[in-house]
Amino acid sequence: KHSDIKIIWKDYPAELHDWLLGLTEVFDLTFPLENEPVNLVPCLLPEKQPKVGITSLKQASMYIALIQFSLVC
């Protein structure tokens, strides 16, 4: 989540955070999710696709949020 950027990049000045996030997007290291303040970081996803029965966009968003939370903790 973009709200976690200040924690993730705490060693960098806050005025650089948006610029750093932009760089991660330009170099395809992260991918922004539409309509959400979240960037997906593919290299942090598990190698094997989990067996999850996702049947809706809402479920997919909740699953992504769960993955992101587990990566931050």
Side-chain angles (χ1 to χ4, degrees):
K1 291 188 245 180
H2 293 176
S3 60
D4 295 329
I5 287 176
K6 61 185 171 214
I7 298 166
I8 296 167
W9 288 330
K10 66 180 184 261
D11 295 333
Y12 297 94
E15 56 271 7
L16 293 180
H17 292 177
D18 287 339
W19 178 74
L20 289 168
L21 182 61
L23 282 178
T24 67
E25 293 171 4
V26 167
F27 290 101
D28 291 335
L29 300 172
T30 69
F31 299 89
L33 298 182
E34 289 185 24
N35 303 319
E36 293 188 48
V38 172
N39 277 50
L40 184 63
V41 184
C43 68
L44 295 178
L45 294 174
E47 287 187 34
K48 285 187 172 183
Q49 182 176 354
K51 294 180 181 181
V52 178
I54 297 175
T55 58
S56 72
L57 184 56
K58 183 176 180 179
Q59 283 182 323
S61 296
M62 291 171 52
Y63 178 70
I64 290 169
L66 179 62
I67 290 172
Q68 291 167 336
F69 178 77
S70 67
L71 294 174
V72 172
C73 294

